[in-house]
């Protein structure tokens, strides 16, 4: 598979506070692992431009976007607090615009048949950002911006968004709540931040809460029993993945016990669905994953499966 790796140096400049788990080194850990495992040269490398106002407005309110632009601090000014764990420094807006722009670029590269699938190594992450507010380390909902782009520009009728981050993607659920073109499939630890997640609606929203301490077998069972039959029925024309790796057993942000082979397994399943229904089209975007070596190894296995390597 021709797989793109999309990232931007600005994504390393967004920094909240010293010791904050959502830190620039996360992207370096992934890059380091891909280079040391000789995967770097298998990838086609791209740098995104900023997401436009028009692209952001498809999923966010004008008020939310204007609020981030207005409060983006100048150099030397204090951080702007979006919630108790989510702050903007003077580089955050640039990073967030590039992160959202990466998904748009990935969609265009795939639809123009320049690549088959893509991994966007971007931060800040996105899946907690709702229609009208940022939260949980997220400012713009990157995966939602990308999904809305393919729906609008290429008139697709059915797309799926897969989310295996350990936290529920409340933002993605909020944004596509009333859009029958979008099937959202999630696994997440419950109860856990952000304590959201509506009951499953077949054909629209497949939520699989997993109990604390659940491991690979429980995760794979949920994917096999809940996601795959719905994906087979829905026949998505494009697959988006909110790829959070914080359900790894080494990650102390939560208590699920996945390992990197689970990420490879689930990605292979999505590659198979994409081969069958979506002309191989997958855009995956980084969400969580906070223990650097576990993040590097998990992202490596995910990307191996996207490329089609063992
Ligand atoms: Zn997370």
């Amino acid at each position: 598979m021709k797989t793109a790796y999309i990232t931007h140096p600005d994504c390393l400049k967004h920094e909240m506070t010293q010791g904050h788990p959502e830190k620039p080194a996360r992207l370096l850990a992934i890059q380091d692992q891909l280079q040391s495992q000789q995967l770097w040269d298998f990838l086609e490398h791209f740098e995104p431009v900023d997401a436009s106002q028009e692209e952001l407005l498809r999923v966010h309110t004008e008020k939310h976007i204007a609020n981030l632009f207005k409060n983006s601090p100048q150099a030397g000014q204090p951080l702007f607090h979006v919630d108790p764990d989510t702050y903007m420094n003077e580089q955050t807006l640039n990073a967030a615009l590039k992160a959202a722009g990466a998904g748009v670029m990935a969609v265009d590269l795939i639809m123009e048949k320049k690549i088959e699938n893509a991994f966007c190594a971007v931060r800040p992450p996105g899946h907690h950002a709702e229609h009208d507010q940022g939260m949980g380390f997220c400012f713009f909902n990157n995966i939602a911006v990308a999904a809305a782009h393919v729906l609008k520009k290429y008139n697709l009728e059915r797309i799926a968004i897969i989310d295996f981050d350990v936290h529920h993607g409340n933002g993605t659920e909020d944004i596509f709540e009333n859009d029958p073109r979008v099937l959202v499939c999630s696994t997440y630890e419950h109860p856990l931040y952000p304590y959201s997640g509506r009951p499953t609606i077949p054909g629209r929203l497949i939520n699989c809460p997993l109990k604390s301490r659940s491991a690979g077998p429980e995760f794979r069972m949920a994917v096999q029993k809940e996601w795959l039959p719905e994906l087979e029925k829905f026949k998505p024309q494009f697959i988006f993945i909110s790829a959070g790796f914080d359900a790894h057993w080494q990650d102390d942000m939560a208590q699920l016990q996945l390992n990197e082979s689970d990420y490879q397994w689930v990605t292979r399943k999505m590659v198979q669905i994409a081969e069958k229904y979506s002309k191989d089209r997958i855009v995956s975007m980084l969400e969580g994953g906070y223990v650097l070596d576990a993040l590097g190894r998990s992202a490596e296995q995910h990307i191996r499966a996207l490329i089609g390597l063992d």
Side-chain angles (χ1 to χ4, degrees), residues 2 9 11 15 29 61 70 77 91 147 188-189 202 212 232 267 302:
K2 228 179 184 183
C11 293
E15 191 157 17
T61 59
K70 190 179 75 198
Q77 281 185 333
Q91 301 286 348
Y188 51 91
E189 182 175 329
S212 171
E232 291 281 349
T267 310
H302 174 62

Side-chain angles (χ1 to χ4, degrees), residues 209-228:
L210 298 170
K211 282 197 205 97
S212 171
R213 315 291 302 170
S214 297
E218 290 89 348
F219 169 71
R220 294 186 191 206
M221 183 78 86
V223 169
Q224 210 127 27
K225 281 197 149 163
E226 314 278 336
W227 290 6
L228 295 182

Side-chain angles (χ1 to χ4, degrees), residues 4-13 31 40 44-50 97-99 101-106 109 119-122:
Y5 188 84
I6 305 180
T7 191
H8 195 285
D10 285 357
C11 293
L12 295 168
K13 296 178 187 161
Q31 177 173 335
W40 196 245
E44 309 260 331
H45 296 268
F46 297 91
E47 277 188 12
V49 296
D50 290 357
L97 290 169
K98 297 294 188 310
V104 171
M105 178 184 225
L109 287 168
F119 180 73
C120 302
V122 291

Side-chain angles (χ1 to χ4, degrees), residues 26 125 127-128 136-137 163-168 192-194 244-247 251 253-254 287-290:
R26 299 176 61 233
H127 76 153
H128 295 306
F137 315 165
D163 188 332
F164 51 67
D165 190 278
V166 81
H167 302 97
H168 176 248
L192 183 72
Y193 180 89
F245 300 103
D246 42 7
D251 203 299
M253 195 66 93
E287 301 285 358
Y290 302 99

Side-chain angles (χ1 to χ4, degrees), residues 125-264:
H127 76 153
H128 295 306
E130 297 186 343
H131 192 50
D132 195 34
Q133 64 167 353
M135 59 182 272
F137 315 165
C138 302
F139 301 88
F140 299 126
N141 193 315
N142 305 322
I143 205 83
V145 171
H149 183 65
V150 88
L151 290 169
K152 177 74 185 171
K153 184 167 175 189
Y154 300 98
N155 287 314
L156 295 195
E157 289 163 347
R158 296 178 315 282
I159 61 136
I161 302 178
I162 305 304
D163 188 332
F164 51 67
D165 190 278
V166 81
H167 302 97
H168 176 248
N170 58 296
T172 310
E173 186 172 302
D174 172 64
I175 288 166
F176 294 114
E177 193 171 24
N178 298 313
D179 193 335
R181 298 171 297 175
V182 182
L183 171 68
V184 179
C185 299
S186 297
T187 50
Y188 51 91
E189 182 175 329
H190 184 76
L192 183 72
Y193 180 89
Y195 305 98
S196 50
R198 291 184 304 152
T200 282
I201 308 165
R204 293 288 301 281
L205 175 69
I206 313 303
N207 272 339
C208 306
L210 298 170
K211 282 197 205 97
S212 171
R213 315 291 302 170
S214 297
E218 290 89 348
F219 169 71
R220 294 186 191 206
M221 183 78 86
V223 169
Q224 210 127 27
K225 281 197 149 163
E226 314 278 336
W227 290 6
L228 295 182
E230 289 287 337
L231 287 163
E232 291 281 349
K233 250 186 266 171
F234 190 76
K235 302 178 175 48
Q237 296 162 300
F238 206 116
I239 296 179
F240 292 87
I241 303 180
S242 265
F245 300 103
D246 42 7
H248 193 282
W249 68 273
Q250 283 182 312
D251 203 299
D252 47 12
M253 195 66 93
Q255 299 302 322
L256 292 191
Q257 306 282 305
L258 303 195
N259 61 40
E260 44 269 36
S261 75
D262 296 310
Y263 293 117
Q264 187 180 54

